[in-house]
Structure formats: structure tokens, C-alpha cells
Amino acid sequence: MNFQTPRGTYDILPEECVRWEALEALLREKCALYRYHEIRTPFFEDTHVFARPQDSSDMVNKEMYSFTAGSGSYTLRPEGTAGVIRAFDQHKLYGSMELPARFYYMGPMFRHERPQKGRQRQFTQFGVENIGLKSPYIDAEVIAMGVEILRKAGITDTKVCLNTLGDDASREAYRRALRAYFTPHIDELCADCHRRLQQNPMRILDCKTDVENPLLHQAPRLQAYLNEESRIYFQEVLKTLDQLHIPYEIDDRLVRGLDYYTHTVFEVKSTRADAGAQSTIFGGGRYDHLVSYFGGPDMSGIGFAVGMERLLSLME
């Protein structure tokens, strides 16, 4: 029989492994410089590690590989942050490590989506998580670390895009405004947006189907609903990036694809002419409630993740 790799997967042959090993060595070198420690979590977890109540993200609702075994439901990990925070809480690392605790991971992730250039169903992701302290200076440091990794890899045609989602009160006020705005027009949007309207209307702004719909471009802006505390926090992030001489663009439509983000969110994009629709190299943001969700103390964290296949493609 003539067996082939499953759709959305690929083999890494010996001559390609040399390039992978070089990239892995570069990433480990930078993590050691920033005092990040490697953590390795299982390739599958309890489904509820990823599918949290009322999660509106496409990853949870459309892309997860889940299965049952015995009386349990399990999911191949679609992203790295949730598993790292689960391990941080399970092993009570918040009581035994210097804070902020700094972790990095490298390994395969799994998402059921249409395979295309730079996007596979099994892909390899590198990510970092900085957990324990909430500070705009840490936000800027994490962004700077990602930018430095790209520079070290020889990837220079990039731009930093960032936004703030504000604190809980700011986001709730904004969600109410979006529901009031979109509800009379919901039949003009895709079926997924009908679900998003109830779960988290901010996700409508990230819809790939209705991306050209004028309703999205004319929707209320989050900045109008930020309270003073959220504004000051974000201004400190920007001020620190200025001091680090890291140029950036503020994108007030940037919400990222996962529901757990709060305050600072960011993406670093390729500005190369051939980048096309897959211009985002890496992205991430701050999360205030994940540690407590898994049973730990009330601690904030921030991180980012990058597809290593994407890095290797750009390094070529």
C-alpha cells in the first residue's frame, strides 16, 4: 500500500533537521539570556484545560482535536499557554520559584483547520510565559525579547503592532456597547458571529468571513471605553518601548484570537512584500485570570508564541 502523511502534516527529513537544530539552539540561547526555564507538558490534556466556560475563540469552537477515553474527554493541545499554567498551579510552582516565574516551551501543537502555506494541522510552536507579576515594564520586556529573537535569526523586515484590551471593567463596558451596536444588524453577519455576539462580541471584530463588512469598520472603538487605570497602564508600556528604541504601531482593532487576554496584546508582522495574508510572525498578550482559573492564586502573566515553521521560512 502507498501510505502518505495525513493531510496537514509533514515529515522533517535529515537534511532539514540541521536547520531545525540550529533554530532550536538559537532559541535556547536567548531564553537562557533572559533567564527562562524550559517546561515540557503533555501533548494532550483534559479538554477543559483548553475549552473554558463561554470561550468564543475559533480555536476552541472549531479547531480542537478532542476524543474520549474511558469516562474522560481529552484534547490534543492546540496552544501552549494553558498547559503551562495548569502545570504551574498543579505543582504549586508559585510557592517554590522566584517571581516572576519564566518558562519557555517548544513542541508540536494540533489544530483542525484548512492546511495552507505556513499553516498546518500539526505544527511546532515556541513560546514563553512570564508569570507572577503584573507590570507594564514586563510587557515591554517580553515584546523586546521576541523582537531580539527575530533580529538574531536575521529577520529584520518587521513591525510591532499592539493594543490594549483594558481591565475587566473596561472590557465589560465595551462588550455591552458592541452588543447594542451589532444586535440590530446580526443577520448581516456570518453564523459564527451570531454565537460570538452572545459569548464575546469582541470576537466579531476578528471575524475572517466578515472582515470586509463595513459594520466591523464602523463599530465602536475600545479606546472610548477604557478607564483611567487601563489608559495609564498602556501608556507606560508604550513609554518603555520608546525607551528601548522599539518602533511600534497601535492597532485599535487588534484583539487576538483567544478569550483570556487582558490589557496588552501584540503581534509582530513581516513587512516583506511577499508576506501575504500570513504576515503575522508571532503574537501574544497579558492574561489576568488563567492562574486562578486552574486553582492557583490571583496572579497575572504574559507570553507570546511563534510557529517555528514560520521562522524557518522567513530565515530562508
Side-chain angles (χ1 to χ4, degrees), residues 91-309:
H91 301 286
K92 296 181 171 57
L93 298 181
Y94 47 79
S96 60
M97 295 186 69
E98 177 186 359
L99 298 180
R102 302 164 185 258
F103 303 101
Y104 76 91
Y105 58 85
M106 280 187 269
M109 308 289 165
F110 307 86
R111 296 188 188 182
H112 189 275
E113 54 186 343
R114 185 172 64 85
Q116 53 188 292
K117 181 181 179 182
R119 193 182 292 269
Q120 299 294 330
R121 291 176 173 174
Q122 176 178 319
F123 57 98
T124 308
Q125 201 170 69
F126 163 79
V128 303
E129 310 296 343
N130 188 307
I131 310 166
L133 298 180
K134 183 176 181 178
S135 165
Y137 312 117
I138 290 178
D139 295 12
E141 178 194 291
V142 169
I143 295 171
M145 178 184 181
V147 170
E148 186 173 337
I149 286 173
L150 297 185
R151 289 174 180 166
K152 184 70 174 179
I155 302 169
T156 56
D157 297 330
T158 63
K159 65 178 179 180
V160 176
C161 299
L162 70 163
N163 190 24
T164 178
L165 303 182
D167 62 8
D168 293 349
S170 298
R171 287 193 309 284
E172 184 54 36
Y174 186 48
R175 289 190 187 105
R176 288 197 298 268
L178 287 177
R179 283 196 184 98
Y181 171 78
F182 282 119
T183 296
H185 309 285
I186 192 60
D187 290 338
E188 301 174 43
L189 300 174
C190 72
D192 283 328
C193 284
H194 288 226
R195 167 180 53 80
R196 293 166 182 144
L197 180 68
Q198 301 305 318
Q199 292 180 318
N200 182 0
M202 290 172 63
R203 289 269 72 80
I204 296 176
L205 303 177
D206 198 38
C207 179
K208 302 301 186 290
T209 303
D210 293 316
V211 64
E212 300 299 332
N213 192 316
L215 280 171
L216 273 63
H217 298 281
Q218 297 165 12
R221 303 280 175 168
L222 175 58
Q223 279 64 28
Y225 298 88
L226 293 175
N227 56 29
E228 190 64 17
E229 179 183 350
S230 298
R231 293 180 190 276
I232 292 173
Y233 188 97
F234 191 50
Q235 288 302 315
E236 282 300 313
V237 175
L238 302 181
K239 180 180 177 181
T240 307
L241 289 174
D242 289 336
Q243 293 170 340
L244 293 171
H245 305 292
I246 296 177
Y248 56 82
E249 295 179 7
I250 297 176
D251 180 355
D252 63 2
R253 291 303 194 192
L254 178 60
V255 294
R256 296 292 297 153
L258 296 169
D259 276 2
Y260 52 64
Y261 286 125
T262 61
H263 286 287
T264 309
V265 290
F266 57 90
E267 292 181 350
V268 176
K269 300 183 178 183
S270 172
T271 57
R272 284 171 37 170
D274 61 350
Q278 302 297 327
S279 62
T280 300
I281 305 172
F282 73 83
R286 177 161 290 283
Y287 43 86
D288 283 347
H289 305 300
L290 267 185
V291 177
S292 59
Y293 171 79
F294 288 114
D298 187 15
M299 284 184 173
S300 186
I302 185 171
F304 70 78
V306 54
M308 293 177 65
E309 293 88 350

Side-chain angles (χ1 to χ4, degrees), residues 51-101:
R52 292 168 292 278
Q54 287 299 303
D55 195 307
S56 65
S57 66
D58 284 352
M59 183 197 77
V60 169
N61 287 280
K62 299 167 65 175
E63 298 173 358
M64 297 202 312
Y65 284 99
S66 299
F67 60 95
T68 57
S71 59
S73 174
Y74 304 96
T75 297
L76 297 178
R77 60 184 187 187
E79 54 103 0
T81 300
V84 172
I85 303 302
R86 189 269 313 148
F88 181 74
D89 281 358
Q90 178 180 335
H91 301 286
K92 296 181 171 57
L93 298 181
Y94 47 79
S96 60
M97 295 186 69
E98 177 186 359
L99 298 180

Side-chain angles (χ1 to χ4, degrees), residues 19 22-23 26 153-155 272 310-316:
R19 298 174 59 241
L23 176 57
L26 182 156
I155 302 169
R272 284 171 37 170
R310 181 74 173 130
L311 283 182
L312 287 167
S313 175
L314 289 168
M315 290 170 67
E316 288 181 348

